[in-house]
Amino acid sequence: MPGSTLFGTRYPLIQAPLAGVQASAMAIAVSRAGGLGSLPAAMLSLASLRTELAAIQAGTDQPYNVNFFCHTPPSPVAEREAVWRAALSPYYRELGLDIDSVPAGAGRMPFTQEAAAVLAEFRPPVVSFHFGLPSDDLLARVRSWGAKVISSATTVAEARWLEAHGVDAIIAQGLEAGGHRGMFLSDDLSTQQGTFALLPQVVAAVQVPVIAAGGIADAQGVRAALALGAAAVQVGTAYMLCHEATTSVVHRAALQSEAAQHTALTNLFTGRPARGIVNRVMRELGAINEAVPAFPLATAAMAPLRSQAEAAGSGDFSPLWSGQNPTGCRAIPAAEMTRLLAVGCGPSEG
């Protein structure tokens, strides 16, 4: 089933939810242009979620997606937190910060009954998840207003699991993708595959539509993914320089620099593997470091370093999320980006 039919959009294109670098304006622009705009909700308070959803409904009558994380919040482990803060303490001294004043904080919230109650007020047509799926009762609430449910798979096993749990479509997230890996059945990074290796295997393994994600940055990539059996394509990094993005000045500069050619999976910023542009802290502490607290507790101690460095124009401690193919990034309106990508969908989709 083509993505355009599945979601009621003109094109089988999804703008990936970009937590931290976008709000409702991006989702509105993409949906109005014929793609499926997405609102990332993992970093929003319930009040902000309601505000952003109201803005989307006021801004477009086209389908849109709201995305949530499905992690189980961990309990802090004092010993591990102490080791992590000890690793960061030289940077705190360098920047003139007091590491003992860092408050604990989650940084990212999972999907909850309270969030579901806010969603029910707006009834978004598509709800997507990362790190698996929420509980059956939460899923039932989402389905109660007829929403389509989609989630990310990074392996064939995860795709089969999602199909068995009743999703309407599966996002095959290749290793090239920027931001957090959606992996949830294993934390073994050696299981992760590139998009064009993973995609045909998932298509062959499941009966539900498959959405390709990871490293797709232009019309040619869209065309290739559809040719390999994708029902739709999800694009993230290419949208990060768009006018509607809230990407920071430091992050925008990094995406347009030679540094963007070198990305790596890192757990330093949140506690889970996520792909970003390699920077100083990743080089010096190692992109994957065993001292990092469980997701998302690592965020609290890194945040002050990031804020202080960015104020001085440095991205040394910033999560510079990016996929492995930043070549599609352009400082243009999101609607124009959507139309450029749609060329790869062929005349039958436009």
Side-chain angles (χ1 to χ4, degrees), residues 117-132:
V118 174
L119 276 195
E121 299 172 24
F122 298 90
R123 298 174 171 251
V126 184
V127 180
S128 64
F129 296 102
H130 219 45
F131 314 138

Side-chain angles (χ1 to χ4, degrees), residues 237-264:
T237 302
Y239 281 101
M240 292 179 67
L241 293 183
C242 287
H243 297 172
E244 294 84 356
T246 60
T247 312
S248 70
V249 172
V250 165
H251 200 163
R252 285 176 182 269
L255 286 165
Q256 297 174 87
S257 73
E258 287 297 316
Q261 297 302 313
H262 186 193
T263 66

Side-chain angles (χ1 to χ4, degrees), residues 277-299:
I277 298 169
V278 174
N279 59 4
R280 176 189 172 189
V281 74
M282 290 167 67
R283 288 190 296 269
E284 294 181 359
L285 293 184
I288 301 292
N289 190 307
E290 293 302 317
V292 177
F295 177 89
L297 299 178
T299 304

Side-chain angles (χ1 to χ4, degrees), residues 82-347:
V83 171
W84 178 229
R85 294 193 178 208
L88 295 180
S89 61
Y91 300 121
Y92 270 78
R93 288 194 295 271
E94 176 186 330
L95 296 180
L97 298 170
D98 178 14
I99 198 165
D100 294 325
S101 67
V102 175
R108 287 163 177 80
M109 300 302 296
F111 190 51
T112 61
Q113 292 287 357
E114 292 78 11
V118 174
L119 276 195
E121 299 172 24
F122 298 90
R123 298 174 171 251
V126 184
V127 180
S128 64
F129 296 102
H130 219 45
F131 314 138
L133 290 170
S135 61
D136 289 345
D137 59 330
L138 281 172
L139 271 183
R141 291 193 70 176
V142 171
R143 292 192 180 283
S144 69
W145 63 79
K148 300 285 188 183
V149 172
I150 60 179
S151 186
S152 301
T154 67
T155 64
V156 171
E158 289 177 347
R160 287 180 171 140
W161 187 95
L162 290 173
E163 181 179 43
H165 286 75
V167 297
D168 295 289
I170 293 167
I171 302 163
Q173 187 196 33
L175 186 57
E176 302 94 329
H180 285 93
R181 303 300 302 148
M183 54 200 306
F184 61 93
L185 290 184
S186 169
D187 59 6
D188 182 356
L189 289 174
S190 71
T191 64
Q192 304 296 278
Q193 300 180 51
T195 302
F196 290 111
L198 177 65
L199 173 61
Q201 295 183 71
V202 172
V203 169
V206 301
Q207 299 300 310
V208 296
V210 179
I211 300 157
I216 302 169
D218 54 27
Q220 188 175 6
V222 171
R223 190 176 297 114
L226 296 176
L228 283 175
V233 175
Q234 179 169 283
V235 176
T237 302
Y239 281 101
M240 292 179 67
L241 293 183
C242 287
H243 297 172
E244 294 84 356
T246 60
T247 312
S248 70
V249 172
V250 165
H251 200 163
R252 285 176 182 269
L255 286 165
Q256 297 174 87
S257 73
E258 287 297 316
Q261 297 302 313
H262 186 193
T263 66
L265 294 178
T266 181
N267 67 343
L268 295 180
F269 300 104
T270 67
R272 263 185 181 265
R275 183 172 297 283
I277 298 169
V278 174
N279 59 4
R280 176 189 172 189
V281 74
M282 290 167 67
R283 288 190 296 269
E284 294 181 359
L285 293 184
I288 301 292
N289 190 307
E290 293 302 317
V292 177
F295 177 89
L297 299 178
T299 304
M302 189 66 79
L305 294 172
R306 172 187 180 177
S307 296
Q308 188 80 349
E310 286 192 359
S314 169
D316 284 349
F317 303 96
S318 300
L320 303 172
W321 303 141
S322 173
Q324 287 185 325
N325 183 6
T327 60
C329 288
R330 299 191 191 184
I332 59 177
E336 185 176 344
M337 176 62 69
T338 302
R339 288 190 288 269
L340 289 173
L341 292 166
V343 172
C345 300

Side-chain angles (χ1 to χ4, degrees), residues 12-73:
L13 293 173
I14 302 170
Q15 164 248 316
L18 303 166
V21 299
Q22 69 147 123
S24 54
M26 175 78 79
I28 292 167
V30 173
S31 288
R32 291 178 66 176
L36 185 72
S38 298
L39 176 71
M43 296 173 68
L44 298 179
S45 67
L46 294 178
S48 295
L49 176 61
R50 181 176 283 108
T51 298
E52 295 297 323
L53 289 171
I56 292 175
Q57 288 209 344
T60 181
D61 60 358
Q62 297 302 301
Y64 66 95
N65 166 47
V66 186
N67 175 260
F68 292 90
F69 287 174
C70 291
H71 61 286
T72 299

